[in-house]
Amino acid sequence: MSGQEQIQQVQVRRLGPGSWELSYPQFGVAMVFRGLVDDRDSITAEIQAYSQDIWLGITRGNLLTHQWRKAFSESLQERYRACPWREVLDDACMRVLMDYRTPPEVISLARLAVGEFTDAYLCEPLLYEGVPTVLVGDGGTGKSTLALALAVCVAAGAEVLPGVRPVRSGPVLYMDWEDRAHVHAARLRKICNGLGISCPEEVYYQEMSMPLGDVVEEVQERVARTGAVLCICDSLALAAGGEPEEGKSAINYFRSVNSLRVTNLSVAHVAKADLREGEVRPYGSVFVRNSARAVWSVRQQHLGNSVILEVNQEKTNRGKYAGTFRWRMKWEKDALLITSLSDNELAQISAPTDERVMAALRSIWEVRASEGKKPEARRSEVVLLTGLPRSTVWSALERLVARGLAVQVAQTRPGDAAVYAPPTGEESEEDPGPPPF
């Protein structure tokens, strides 16, 4: 086999938009190109060369310059003579340049089986495949525990959260700007003990400090090397850097997230003002909510010695709304048990809420009637009057309609205003009494 034929036996792997790894197994060497910069008359990159994990050399140079390639190849030849470095380096630079200059493929949507992608999930229905999702809630509501439970769901291919199905399994990269590894390791062990399974080896943890945009090439390479199918960022404000209210910070963050080309879950905090108004929206710029393809809110309440998590889909850009999940989390000595709520537990939680919502409806109906108007109440008015979270009010209204205590008289699409009136033939002044639980 000629030298040129040997050189053609190369394995090329793109680690990120500006990073490549080229392996020449016939010579026992490999090179990594990082930080490629295109500056008009020069295209520079950092190049590391190694053989069987033995470092041979590192430099930064202009891939277009013959003189630089000649000098670096001679330096490598002195350290490792079993490789024709001049030819290998020329070949590697050529392949990197060709791949860099190849424009993204343009596809015909008419020829694409769109149905296969519209509602593709990694974890159905919480995580869409290949796009960012935001999990938002107040501090201490269990967001990080929920994110780690989803990590186990994907890495182990197990149904950790009742009703949430892992569609595809694979490695997970958990990037943490807030806590430490031992905290998450303890949670991981307890989640898996609660399921009766071994801790999956492919939940990788990385402690972070710099904004994601400043280290995105390193993260891209980490994703490629681990084969991660899910990246979790905890939390979004610290990962984005800059001022949370500035649109630029959010835009740059999601640009970095999308460059990873895998499913992303970003854990976000909520603005206190929104909480007071019954809203749960990510703190900071509107581009956080707009850039995510789905937003899920987390609320917490206590029931006996357990914690109840209410997880509601606040926004989706794909498919239909998935509604609300409620899970009981019970911490035992060395296990976390995550279960669905029984009918009695759901009734115990919803009864006080239904009473408050029913009282608000009656109050609004009476005011409308006294003004000579139709006794109708908008959903937004009920939220404002009760001070309850929006998703909680919506769920209560659905239950009251199902029990015949109210009638929905206007509805467009999820998220739009809905109007509720007394049941036909009943006076708004009548007191329906407490829910019959």
Side-chain angles (χ1 to χ4, degrees):
M1 183 182 295
S2 67
Q4 188 61 37
E5 289 175 335
Q6 284 185 303
I7 291 175
Q8 294 302 317
Q9 297 177 359
V10 58
Q11 299 169 1
V12 182
R13 182 168 61 151
R14 190 161 190 172
L15 304 176
S19 303
W20 293 261
E21 182 181 57
L22 296 92
S23 301
Y24 295 83
Q26 65 276 32
F27 303 122
V29 299
M31 283 178 285
V32 174
F33 290 68
R34 292 190 180 93
L36 188 143
V37 176
D38 190 345
D39 187 17
R40 302 181 70 177
D41 297 329
S42 66
I43 299 180
T44 61
E46 176 190 287
I47 300 96
Q48 293 182 7
Y50 57 92
S51 174
Q52 299 177 348
D53 297 327
I54 299 174
W55 178 79
L56 298 175
I58 180 171
T59 187
R60 185 172 188 89
N62 184 355
L63 308 190
L64 302 174
T65 304
H66 170 78
Q67 184 177 359
W68 168 80
R69 297 199 304 272
K70 180 176 181 293
F72 188 42
S73 63
E74 290 175 352
S75 173
L76 294 173
Q77 199 71 55
E78 292 177 1
R79 293 184 174 90
Y80 188 81
R81 298 184 179 277
C83 174
W85 281 108
R86 181 65 182 277
E87 291 81 2
V88 167
L89 184 59
D90 283 348
D91 180 78
C93 290
M94 177 196 68
R95 292 181 185 276
V96 166
L97 289 169
M98 288 180 61
D99 188 67
Y100 168 69
R101 287 171 169 167
T102 301
E105 181 183 4
V106 177
I107 61 175
S108 167
L109 290 179
R111 298 178 182 177
L112 187 67
V114 178
E116 297 178 9
F117 299 93
T118 302
D119 297 322
Y121 293 97
L122 183 65
C123 262
E124 187 177 2
L126 260 62
L127 298 175
Y128 289 121
E129 176 75 60
V131 294
T133 293
V134 169
L135 182 66
V136 58
D138 198 12
T141 52
K143 300 185 299 296
S144 296
T145 301
L146 186 59
L148 194 57
L150 285 168
V152 175
C153 178
V154 173
E159 187 174 309
V160 181
L161 302 166
V164 178
R165 180 177 66 91
V167 176
R168 184 164 71 96
S169 61
V172 177
L173 177 61
Y174 196 115
M175 294 179 286
D176 185 13
W177 279 261
E178 290 193 344
D179 223 318
R180 298 294 180 266
H182 69 274
V183 175
H184 293 280
R187 288 174 181 164
L188 177 69
R189 184 182 67 252
K190 290 188 176 184
I191 291 171
C192 293
N193 286 349
L195 293 169
I197 64 173
S198 300
C199 292
E201 294 289 336
E202 293 186 318
V203 176
Y204 299 107
Y205 176 88
Q206 179 68 52
E207 186 176 312
M208 305 291 288
S209 59
M210 300 292 290
L212 179 62
D214 292 353
V215 293
V216 66
E217 288 194 0
E218 298 174 20
V219 175
Q220 290 164 352
E221 184 171 336
R222 202 170 295 136
V223 168
R225 292 191 182 281
T226 60
V229 298
L230 169 64
C231 286
I232 298 173
C233 296
D234 188 0
S235 64
L236 191 154
L238 294 175
E243 294 297 328
E245 296 86 354
E246 292 182 359
K248 182 179 179 181
S249 296
I251 291 170
N252 289 340
Y253 171 76
F254 280 99
R255 183 180 290 123
S256 298
V257 162
N258 289 327
S259 75
L260 302 179
R261 310 296 295 174
V262 295
T263 304
N264 170 265
L265 176 65
S266 296
V267 179
H269 293 281
V270 64
K272 297 297 182 183
D274 288 339
L275 276 179
R276 289 192 293 270
E277 296 173 4
E279 300 283 344
V280 179
R281 290 179 293 193
Y283 176 63
S285 167
V286 69
F287 284 104
V288 173
R289 177 183 172 90
N290 291 348
S291 299
R293 299 299 85 190
V295 176
W296 292 84
S297 65
V298 184
R299 296 179 179 86
Q300 183 189 100
Q301 57 180 302
H302 292 272
L303 182 65
N305 61 349
S306 301
V307 169
I308 306 302
L309 290 189
E310 181 179 282
V311 180
N312 182 72
Q313 189 170 48
E314 303 287 341
K315 175 214 171 179
T316 177
N317 283 89
R318 299 184 178 185
K320 62 181 181 180
Y321 275 69
T324 302
F325 288 93
R326 292 181 180 86
W327 296 300
R328 177 222 293 267
M329 288 190 173
K330 185 176 182 181
W331 294 90
E332 298 191 342
K333 183 178 180 181
D334 200 38
L336 173 60
L337 304 178
I338 306 175
T339 57
S340 298
L341 297 183
S342 66
D343 291 340
N344 288 337
E345 289 170 330
L346 282 171
Q348 184 178 346
I349 292 172
S350 61
T353 300
D354 289 1
E355 291 177 12
R356 289 174 63 179
V357 171
M358 193 68 235
L361 284 173
R362 288 183 58 251
S363 177
I364 297 170
W365 291 341
E366 290 172 359
V367 170
R368 293 283 191 274
S370 68
E371 295 173 346
K373 301 177 182 178
K374 290 183 178 180
E376 296 177 345
R378 291 188 176 276
R379 189 163 53 191
S380 57
E381 294 174 322
V382 180
V383 171
L384 185 62
L385 192 58
T386 60
L388 292 169
R390 183 175 58 179
S391 60
T392 301
V393 171
W394 291 7
S395 298
L397 288 169
E398 290 176 359
R399 290 192 295 270
L400 294 174
V401 170
R403 291 166 50 205
L405 299 179
V407 176
Q408 185 174 321
V409 296
Q411 170 71 52
T412 51
R413 61 182 181 181
D416 284 350
V419 177
Y420 296 84
T424 304
E426 294 188 15
E427 299 296 330
S428 61
E429 289 79 5
E430 291 185 6
D431 188 350
F437 294 128

